[in-house]
Amino acid sequence: MSYPYLINRLLLALPTLAGAVTITFILLRVVPGDPIAMMTGPGATEADIAQLRAHYGLDQSIAHQFVIYLSQLITGDLGTSISLRQNVGELIAGRLPVTIELVVIAMLIAVGFALILALKGTFWRGRWPERLVDGFIGVTVAIPDFLWALSLILILGVAIPIMPIFGRMDLTISFDSWTNFYLTESLLRGRFEVTRSVLYHMVLPAVSLALPLMAITARVLKSCLNAEMNREYVTLARTQGFGRLKVIYSQALRNALVPATALSGVQFTFLIGGTVLVERIFGYPGIGNMAIDAVINRDLPLIQGLVLTFAILFILVNLLIDLFITFLDPRLRHV
Amino acid sequence: MTSALVVHDLHLAVRNGQVLLPILRGINLNLPQGEIHGLVGESGAGKTMLGRVILDILPPSAVITSGNVDYPAHRSSPSLNRKSAHRRRPHISLIPQDPLTSLNPVKRIGKQMGEILRLAHKDSSQQIHERAKQHLREVKIRNPGQVLQQYPHQLSGGMRQRVLIAMAFSTEPSIIIADEPTTALDVSVQQRVLRLIRDLQKERGTTILFVTHDLGVVAKLCDRVSLMHSGMILEQGKVSDVFQSPSHPYTRSLLEAIPRYDKPREKLSPVANDLQTQLIREADEYDRQRRV
């Protein structure tokens, strides 16, 4: 892996970002919906509305607005939110850590259980427990994350109310965060009562996000493992004295991870999109939840900033996936 | 001399839904220690399956319906594996057919050899590395240190087959199953690989079951030969006897089927269709009688 490759990849990301910015900018201004109408009450006069419109630059042509937007963007200024009247960059910086921590935990849960399911399913190949694993995966994959969220709330929040179903942490605990990475920061600062509360609140949203992802990853990984188990190097390893389980995790697994990561990697980016609904359901203060408010209020600068953030996350996740695949397979390194 | 490997009246079938399809029909083999035994037969004759029984790596769908595999020269460990037909299994190695797919593509050669050696010896990494180097030198690899650092895709087919042979011999097995080890190699490399196997075998007195469909290789390499068709052994004996006076029509037909480079005008003579049909009919008849 070389730096030129990395720089190349990051440069290639620029046109993607430019495209995302342009398309959302135009789309948002073409579709019906007026941010000013949303913020002013029914009693506002024509003059008031016109004045507000001019204040936010919305009286200019779309092309002119776009030029202003771009010149601000280059200096790192994402503009001012219309509904919240704060700097968009600061708003997103405050909410993004919340979503990142949630997504990372959900990903760990998904990958961990997917590994166990795929390995066990392969170990039980051709016997009845394998069908049990397949059945479980089949059912889990068919249920989307927001449905999991609602079912989990009904079961663990209402029927047997043992889990918190709203917010990020217990509001009676006061925690003055510097970075908004509550989980990481509370661990580093030794405020373990905060860590506990944050984790406790995270369980249901993280599991809702993780379950469909886990099922897809497990299914893909299991079929890749099955393909590897029929390869000759696995047969040979069996004759060399590797046990049935050892042959799976020490010989076949790494080979199976290459296509499995490439195939299910896309799903990880969908996880970021999945946060929009799940955060909303659990009242989780991340960017997904923020995105819904922004859309309802037709808060153009904020939507624009969030789309840009999502696009950057997509690109970074894809880059990480590619790097991981190259790390796994030496044949991809020496090209 | 004591036998290294005895296969006694082995019947094997593969489960396909509710039915059992017979694959091996009463195989008998007796390999004295140090013999190279040729196992010849066309695709589908059951050669590979027989090798898999001996190696104890049968697929889950395969069932041994009767008979067993024994290793009289290895009476030391009295464990009895009830699940398979094996008794007192000594270490058996496999030299696989396709060197291009038989090495793990994501691991360096040194790591792969080290893993096998570590299963057999309790040595330090340094000692393991030295051992691996030594084994590579034995298969005439000139730069073992470098090869150990490489990944399989960086080596040629011939080199990979040498590495696989080194791996097979590295665990000091008493029996080696060579499953068409030269089929995937070009002719010039074939000869060298065959000589390598024979030299190492002579040196160590390993018993080899050499699975092939190349009668030329059998003539050069093997002491005795068994000819298989439809899961049955049709003819068995010393290579010189079988080749000079074949008793079974199938053997004769196989010998005639070898194309000769010195007679380019001669017509190609595949094994006749009616002989094939006849052999398959005999196999069916055998199944019927066994069921009654």
Side-chain angles (χ1 to χ4, degrees), chain A residues 23-267:
Chain A
I23 291 170
T24 40
F25 193 92
I26 295 168
L27 273 181
L28 284 174
R29 277 151 185 86
V30 170
V31 293
D34 185 356
I36 305 301
M38 296 302 293
M39 65 190 297
T40 51
T45 61
E46 286 290 324
D48 290 342
I49 291 176
Q51 197 206 335
L52 272 172
R53 211 176 281 281
H55 177 72
Y56 287 104
L58 294 171
D59 51 348
Q60 312 282 343
S61 71
I62 291 179
H64 193 187
Q65 288 184 41
F66 191 50
V67 172
I68 296 171
Y69 176 73
L70 279 186
S71 59
Q72 284 181 342
L73 191 62
I74 283 165
T75 62
D77 182 8
L78 291 171
T80 307
S81 157
I82 296 177
S83 59
L84 300 166
R85 295 180 198 159
Q86 283 181 52
N87 181 282
V88 169
E90 281 167 21
L91 279 171
I92 292 175
R95 298 285 201 106
L96 187 59
V98 184
T99 300
I100 288 181
E101 282 190 337
L102 177 65
V103 165
V104 167
I105 295 289
M107 215 162 86
L108 290 178
I109 297 173
V111 172
F113 282 97
L115 271 175
I116 295 173
L117 279 178
L119 287 173
K120 276 293 178 190
T122 312
F123 182 69
W124 289 320
R125 214 150 65 108
R127 290 184 286 151
W128 65 267
E130 188 199 7
R131 274 185 229 156
L132 216 65
V133 172
D134 284 343
F136 177 67
I137 292 174
V139 170
T140 318
V141 90
I143 302 174
D145 43 21
F146 60 88
L147 217 56
W148 279 117
L150 295 174
S151 326
L152 287 173
I153 287 178
L154 278 179
I155 298 165
L156 296 173
V158 179
I160 322 161
I162 48 169
M163 298 304 287
I165 52 170
F166 194 83
R168 192 184 188 192
M169 63 181 276
D170 204 334
L171 290 173
T172 55
I173 305 174
S174 73
F175 183 60
D176 204 9
S177 179
W178 308 318
T179 57
N180 256 339
F181 283 101
Y182 278 22
L183 200 59
T184 328
E185 200 183 320
S186 65
L187 270 175
L188 292 176
R189 282 165 66 179
R191 298 280 305 273
F192 297 125
E193 83 280 9
V194 177
T195 316
R196 243 190 49 206
S197 179
V198 171
L199 274 179
Y200 197 41
H201 280 75
M202 205 183 251
V203 172
L204 293 190
V207 167
S208 312
L209 282 171
L211 279 172
L213 180 67
M214 173 206 75
I216 290 176
T217 314
R219 172 180 277 183
V220 172
L221 181 59
K222 186 167 165 284
S223 71
C224 292
L225 266 173
N226 259 320
E228 290 301 319
M229 291 306 282
N230 294 326
R231 298 289 193 83
E232 275 148 79
Y233 72 87
V234 171
T235 313
L236 186 65
R238 287 285 307 283
T239 72
Q240 288 163 342
F242 288 90
R244 244 162 47 79
L245 187 61
K246 190 160 188 209
V247 110
I248 299 175
Y249 70 78
S250 90
Q251 303 288 334
L253 181 58
R254 184 158 172 182
N255 283 287
L257 276 176
V258 177
T261 312
L263 286 170
S264 56
V266 189
Q267 305 294 331

Side-chain angles (χ1 to χ4, degrees), chain A residues 125-126 231-233 235-236 238-242 246 250-252 254-255 258 328-331 333-334, chain B residues 52 55-57 60 91-92 94 96 98 101-107 115-116 119 151 153-154 164 167:
Chain A
R125 214 150 65 108
R231 298 289 193 83
E232 275 148 79
Y233 72 87
T235 313
L236 186 65
R238 287 285 307 283
T239 72
Q240 288 163 342
F242 288 90
K246 190 160 188 209
S250 90
Q251 303 288 334
R254 184 158 172 182
N255 283 287
V258 177
L328 286 175
D329 193 341
R331 284 168 295 184
R333 262 176 252 162
H334 301 271
Chain B
R52 289 189 137 219
L55 285 160
D56 198 13
I57 46 163
H91 193 82
I92 307 173
L94 169 68
D98 187 353
T101 56
S102 295
L103 289 163
N104 192 335
V106 297
K107 288 186 182 179
E115 282 175 345
I116 304 167
L119 290 173
Y151 287 101
H153 70 276
Q154 297 168 311
L164 286 162
M167 280 180 168

Side-chain angles (χ1 to χ4, degrees), chain B residues 72-112:
Chain B
H74 268 257
R75 296 271 184 200
S76 46
S77 59
S79 69
L80 203 138
N81 189 348
R82 275 169 211 281
K83 273 196 168 173
S84 61
H86 294 263
R87 283 183 278 172
R88 304 166 203 91
R89 187 175 178 274
H91 193 82
I92 307 173
S93 283
L94 169 68
I95 301 176
Q97 183 173 36
D98 187 353
L100 301 183
T101 56
S102 295
L103 289 163
N104 192 335
V106 297
K107 288 186 182 179
R108 294 176 201 275
I109 303 296
K111 176 134 202 235
Q112 300 192 41

Side-chain angles (χ1 to χ4, degrees), chain B residues 174-194:
Chain B
S174 48
I175 301 168
I176 287 183
I177 311 289
D179 188 7
E180 310 194 30
T182 54
T183 311
L185 304 174
D186 60 64
V187 186
S188 59
V189 183
Q190 269 184 21
Q191 303 297 323
R192 252 178 261 143
V193 166
L194 286 175

